[in-house]
């Protein structure tokens, strides 16, 4: 089957090659309807940019990119670690924040960076396949993907969920309240599955009324914990918060309702953010090694860009950090 070229797309669209290039890369000044029409046409024709051909006028940029939907809170540690590793390896780093995967894809097609670390749940499978077809070096932090030019560097959230359940179970806790994260993210989904799998194996499945949707957010965790306590259900022995921020919100709500941590209820977090060790009580949590994840992601990406390795999947194990917010029942 003959490879579709940018000339074919331009001819079919009735525009110049330059216009097609600008539309697909997100550059240039075009009407949005024109840009959208060309992008849809290119997709329907199964056009794949030939980055090794004559269309690529420039050499490598010397930049690696981080593509995400947010850099708030804990992600600042990740960004700092990635930037430090970029400097060590002689690369600059650019950060791109988008709401959807379509804009992310357009920017990568414009070859603004030599490779990308992606932490963005808005990137759908079709767009992920398109990046693989482009043979563009990518390291994912939020999904399992492997190819010649594609790697994943993941925190092992499933095993950390199991670890959390096993730890609380070993302390004698059986009625556990879970503050879950965001369902459509890899870490949120896998932590919840791991925790529930362990409890089910112990014949202690979680009741739905003991699972609160807190979306990794301190204020939501505070509000949802308050609402739970006011229902008059039997108090939990312990709480597993899918991140430390949710644990802080939960502890505040418990205190305001007259419950002491850990004397009345143990609370276990996940991430080990800096505040965890200074909080009162100091938070027992699972260390996710986010700095190490950032460093390894950039090491992996540099190897893919330079062609010295093929893609693989790395999983980083969690570690229980015992402090003062949990006690034996």
């Amino acid at each position: 089957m003959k490879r579709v070229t940018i000339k074919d797309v331009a001819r079919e669209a009735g525009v110049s090659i330059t216009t097609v290039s600008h539309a697909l890369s997100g550059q240039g000044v075009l009407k949005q309807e024109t840009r959208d029409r060309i992008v849809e046409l290119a997709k329907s024709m199964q056009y794949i940019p030939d980055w090794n051909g004559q269309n690529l006028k420039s050499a490598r940029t010397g930049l690696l990119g981080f593509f995400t939907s947010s850099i708030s809170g804990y992600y600042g540690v990740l960004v700092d670690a990635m930037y430090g590793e970029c400097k060590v390896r002689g690369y600059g780093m650019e950060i791109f924040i988008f709401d959807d995967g379509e804009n992310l894809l357009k920017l990568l097609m414009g070859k603004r960076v030599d490779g990308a670390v992606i932490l963005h749940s808005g990137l759908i499978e079709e767009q992920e396949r398109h990046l693989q077809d482009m043979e563009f070096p990518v390291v994912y932090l939020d999904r399992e993907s492997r190819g010649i030019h594609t790697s994943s560097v993941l925190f092992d959230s499933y095993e950390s969920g199991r670890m959390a359940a096993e730890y609380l179970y070993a302390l004698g806790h059986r009625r556990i309240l879970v503050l879950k994260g965001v369902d459509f993210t890899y870490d949120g989904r896998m932590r919840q599955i791991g925790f529930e799998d362990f409890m089910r194996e112990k014949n202690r499945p979680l009741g739905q009324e003991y699972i609160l949707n807190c979306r990794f957010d301190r204020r939501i965790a505070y509000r949802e914990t308050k609402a739970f306590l006011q229902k008059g259900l039997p108090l939990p022995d312990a709480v597993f918060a899918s991140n430390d921020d949710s644990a802080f919100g939960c502890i505040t709500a418990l205190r305001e309702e007259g419950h002491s941590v850990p004397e009345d209820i143990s609370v276990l977090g996940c991430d080990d953010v800096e505040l965890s060790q200074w909080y009162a009580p100091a938070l027992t949590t699972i260390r996710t090694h986010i700095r190490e994840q950032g460093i390894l992601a950039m090491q992996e990406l540099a190897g893919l860009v330079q062609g010295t390795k093929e893609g693989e999947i790395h999983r980083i194990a969690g570690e229980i950090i015992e402090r003062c917010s949990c006690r034996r029942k």
Side-chain angles (χ1 to χ4, degrees), residues 49 57 77 88 122 124 166 177 234 246 285 287 292 319 326:
K57 301 297 183 183
V77 177
V88 168
I124 62 177
E166 183 177 10
L177 180 68
S246 296
T285 186
R287 182 172 292 165
E292 288 81 355
E319 173 188 4
C326 292

Side-chain angles (χ1 to χ4, degrees), residues 177 179 209-214 219-236 249-250 252-254 256-257 259:
L177 180 68
L179 313 185
E209 64 272 22
Y210 284 84
I211 301 174
L212 307 184
N213 187 13
C214 296
R219 289 170 294 182
I220 297 176
Y222 169 83
R223 184 182 70 227
E224 291 297 312
T225 303
K226 279 268 195 177
F228 170 84
L229 294 171
Q230 290 165 7
K231 290 179 179 179
L233 293 169
L235 285 176
C250 174
T252 300
L254 289 171
E256 290 182 0
E257 294 297 319
H259 305 292

Side-chain angles (χ1 to χ4, degrees), residues 23-27 32 35-36 39 43 67-68 96-110 112 120 122-123 127 131:
L24 298 181
S25 67
Q27 299 176 349
Q32 190 59 46
R35 190 184 302 276
D36 292 343
V39 168
K43 283 183 180 179
F67 294 78
T68 185
F96 303 89
I97 304 175
F98 293 106
D99 289 332
D100 62 86
E102 190 65 38
N103 284 327
L104 187 158
L105 185 63
K106 289 178 183 178
L107 193 60
L108 289 179
M109 290 172 67
R112 287 277 299 274
H120 201 304
L123 189 76
Q127 294 159 348
L131 288 175

Side-chain angles (χ1 to χ4, degrees), residues 13 18 30 65 69 92 100 176 182 239 241 251 323:
T18 300
L30 295 176
S69 57
D100 62 86
I176 301 173
V182 180
V239 175
I251 291 173
R323 296 193 178 105

Side-chain angles (χ1 to χ4, degrees), residues 3 18 26 41 68 72 74 92 103-104 118 125 127 133 153 159 162 215 224 248 258 320 328:
R3 181 186 178 97
T18 300
L41 179 62
T68 185
S72 63
Y74 198 36
N103 284 327
L104 187 158
I118 297 178
E125 288 185 12
Q127 294 159 348
D133 291 341
V153 178
E159 286 301 325
R162 291 187 62 90
R215 300 181 62 81
E224 291 297 312
F248 300 146
I320 292 280
R328 185 171 296 278

Side-chain angles (χ1 to χ4, degrees), residues 173-186:
H173 303 309
R174 299 296 182 265
R175 185 184 297 121
I176 301 173
L177 180 68
V178 175
L179 313 185
K180 70 175 183 176
V182 180
D183 287 335
F184 57 79
T185 65
Y186 177 85

Side-chain angles (χ1 to χ4, degrees), residues 66 113 265 311:
F66 176 48
V113 293
I265 302 173

